[in-house]
Amino acid sequence: MPDFTSTEITRRIEELYGAPLAALQAHAQEQPPGMLAALLGMHDALALAERSITAHRDRLTQLLCAERQIGAHEVSHVLDGARRLAEAVAVRDTQAASAHAVLHSLTRVPTPGPPPATTAPTPPTPAVSAPSATPSR
Protein backbone atom coordinates (compact mmCIF):
# COMPACT_ATOMS: atom_id res chain seq x y z
CA MET A 1 0.00 0.00 0.00
CA PRO A 2 1.39 3.44 -0.86
CA ASP A 3 2.17 5.90 1.90
CA PHE A 4 -0.82 8.17 2.44
CA THR A 5 0.21 11.34 4.20
CA SER A 6 -1.97 14.00 5.71
CA THR A 7 -1.21 16.15 2.65
CA GLU A 8 -2.56 13.45 0.31
CA ILE A 9 -5.62 12.90 2.52
CA THR A 10 -6.21 16.68 2.59
CA ARG A 11 -6.13 16.78 -1.21
CA ARG A 12 -8.58 13.88 -1.45
CA ILE A 13 -11.01 15.44 1.09
CA GLU A 14 -10.90 18.80 -0.71
CA GLU A 15 -11.46 17.06 -4.03
CA LEU A 16 -14.38 15.07 -2.66
CA TYR A 17 -16.13 18.01 -0.99
CA GLY A 18 -15.07 20.68 -3.50
CA ALA A 19 -13.77 23.18 -0.92
CA PRO A 20 -10.54 23.99 0.96
CA LEU A 21 -9.92 22.12 4.19
CA ALA A 22 -10.22 25.26 6.35
CA ALA A 23 -13.67 25.99 4.93
CA LEU A 24 -14.71 22.37 5.45
CA GLN A 25 -13.55 22.48 9.07
CA ALA A 26 -15.60 25.62 9.71
CA HIS A 27 -18.61 24.07 7.97
CA ALA A 28 -18.31 20.83 9.96
CA GLN A 29 -18.38 22.73 13.27
CA GLU A 30 -21.77 24.17 12.36
CA GLN A 31 -23.27 20.79 11.39
CA PRO A 32 -24.25 17.72 13.38
CA PRO A 33 -21.59 15.00 13.36
CA GLY A 34 -21.39 13.18 10.07
CA MET A 35 -19.00 11.77 7.49
CA LEU A 36 -17.17 15.09 7.00
CA ALA A 37 -16.52 15.41 10.73
CA ALA A 38 -15.26 11.81 10.83
CA LEU A 39 -12.90 12.40 7.90
CA LEU A 40 -11.60 15.60 9.46
CA GLY A 41 -11.02 13.78 12.75
CA MET A 42 -9.05 11.07 10.94
CA HIS A 43 -7.06 13.74 9.15
CA ASP A 44 -6.26 15.53 12.42
CA ALA A 45 -5.12 12.29 14.06
CA LEU A 46 -2.97 11.50 11.02
CA ALA A 47 -1.37 14.96 11.04
CA LEU A 48 -0.70 14.70 14.79
CA ALA A 49 0.93 11.29 14.31
CA GLU A 50 3.13 12.70 11.54
CA ARG A 51 4.27 15.56 13.79
CA SER A 52 4.93 13.06 16.57
CA ILE A 53 7.03 10.90 14.23
CA THR A 54 9.12 13.92 13.30
CA ALA A 55 9.62 14.94 16.94
CA HIS A 56 10.58 11.44 18.13
CA ARG A 57 12.86 10.86 15.14
CA ASP A 58 14.64 14.17 15.83
CA ARG A 59 15.00 13.31 19.51
CA LEU A 60 16.49 9.90 18.68
CA THR A 61 18.88 11.57 16.25
CA GLN A 62 20.05 13.86 19.07
CA LEU A 63 20.48 10.95 21.47
CA LEU A 64 22.38 8.85 18.95
CA CYS A 65 24.70 11.52 17.51
CA ALA A 66 28.24 10.26 16.87
CA GLU A 67 29.94 12.59 19.38
CA ARG A 68 27.77 11.54 22.26
CA GLN A 69 28.50 8.70 24.64
CA ILE A 70 25.60 6.40 25.34
CA GLY A 71 25.55 5.36 28.96
CA ALA A 72 23.06 3.44 31.04
CA HIS A 73 20.98 6.57 31.60
CA GLU A 74 20.78 7.38 27.86
CA VAL A 75 19.84 3.80 26.92
CA SER A 76 16.49 4.13 28.67
CA HIS A 77 15.83 7.38 26.77
CA VAL A 78 16.78 5.75 23.46
CA LEU A 79 14.48 2.80 24.14
CA ASP A 80 11.64 5.08 25.22
CA GLY A 81 12.12 7.24 22.11
CA ALA A 82 12.15 4.17 19.86
CA ARG A 83 8.96 2.87 21.49
CA ARG A 84 7.21 6.21 21.09
CA LEU A 85 8.37 6.45 17.49
CA ALA A 86 7.00 2.96 16.77
CA GLU A 87 3.66 3.90 18.36
CA ALA A 88 3.42 7.09 16.30
CA VAL A 89 4.17 5.14 13.11
CA ALA A 90 1.48 2.59 13.99
CA VAL A 91 -1.07 5.36 14.63
CA ARG A 92 -0.13 7.09 11.37
CA ASP A 93 -0.43 3.88 9.37
CA THR A 94 -3.78 3.01 10.94
CA GLN A 95 -5.26 6.48 10.46
CA ALA A 96 -3.95 6.72 6.89
CA ALA A 97 -5.36 3.30 5.96
CA SER A 98 -8.74 4.11 7.53
CA ALA A 99 -9.01 7.53 5.90
CA HIS A 100 -7.94 6.11 2.54
CA ALA A 101 -10.51 3.30 2.76
CA VAL A 102 -13.32 5.72 3.61
CA LEU A 103 -12.31 8.19 0.91
CA HIS A 104 -12.00 5.37 -1.62
CA SER A 105 -15.57 4.28 -0.83
CA LEU A 106 -17.01 7.77 -1.36
CA THR A 107 -17.59 9.58 -4.60
CA ARG A 108 -18.40 13.18 -5.22
CA VAL A 109 -22.01 13.84 -6.01
CA PRO A 110 -22.31 16.20 -8.95
CA THR A 111 -23.86 19.57 -8.24
CA PRO A 112 -27.46 19.51 -9.31
CA GLY A 113 -27.88 21.57 -12.45
CA PRO A 114 -31.03 22.80 -14.09
CA PRO A 115 -33.50 20.04 -14.73
CA PRO A 116 -33.27 18.60 -18.22
CA ALA A 117 -35.52 20.32 -20.72
CA THR A 118 -38.60 18.28 -21.28
CA THR A 119 -40.63 18.50 -24.39
CA ALA A 120 -43.80 20.45 -23.95
CA PRO A 121 -46.86 18.27 -23.87
CA THR A 122 -48.59 18.11 -27.18
CA PRO A 123 -51.83 20.03 -27.23
CA PRO A 124 -54.89 17.86 -27.24
CA THR A 125 -56.25 17.19 -30.68
CA PRO A 126 -59.75 18.48 -31.30
CA ALA A 127 -62.37 15.85 -31.07
CA VAL A 128 -63.67 14.77 -34.46
CA SER A 129 -67.36 14.23 -34.47
CA ALA A 130 -68.47 10.88 -35.69
CA PRO A 131 -70.39 10.88 -38.97
CA SER A 132 -74.08 10.76 -38.32
CA ALA A 133 -76.39 8.32 -40.00
CA THR A 134 -78.85 11.03 -40.98
CA PRO A 135 -78.24 12.79 -44.25
CA SER A 136 -77.02 16.31 -44.02
CA ARG A 137 -78.78 19.08 -45.87
Side-chain angles (χ1 to χ4, degrees), residues 52-64 85:
S52 183
I53 288 169
T54 300
H56 292 303
R57 185 187 61 224
D58 291 347
R59 179 66 180 137
L60 280 174
T61 301
Q62 289 174 345
L63 290 171
L64 298 173
L85 178 60

Side-chain angles (χ1 to χ4, degrees), residues 38-106:
L39 282 170
L40 293 173
M42 283 187 241
H43 173 269
D44 289 346
L46 177 59
L48 178 62
E50 288 174 342
R51 289 190 303 273
S52 183
I53 288 169
T54 300
H56 292 303
R57 185 187 61 224
D58 291 347
R59 179 66 180 137
L60 280 174
T61 301
Q62 289 174 345
L63 290 171
L64 298 173
C65 77
E67 301 86 35
R68 192 173 174 147
Q69 292 289 334
I70 298 178
H73 179 71
E74 286 80 13
V75 168
S76 65
H77 291 290
V78 169
L79 292 174
D80 184 56
R83 179 187 58 79
R84 289 174 188 248
L85 178 60
E87 289 172 353
V89 168
V91 168
R92 181 210 49 205
D93 290 349
T94 301
Q95 290 297 330
S98 297
H100 174 70
V102 170
L103 286 168
H104 185 68
S105 72
L106 300 174

Side-chain angles (χ1 to χ4, degrees), residues 102-128:
V102 170
L103 286 168
H104 185 68
S105 72
L106 300 174
T107 58
R108 185 164 186 204
V109 176
T111 307
T118 58
T119 57
T122 56
T125 56
V128 179

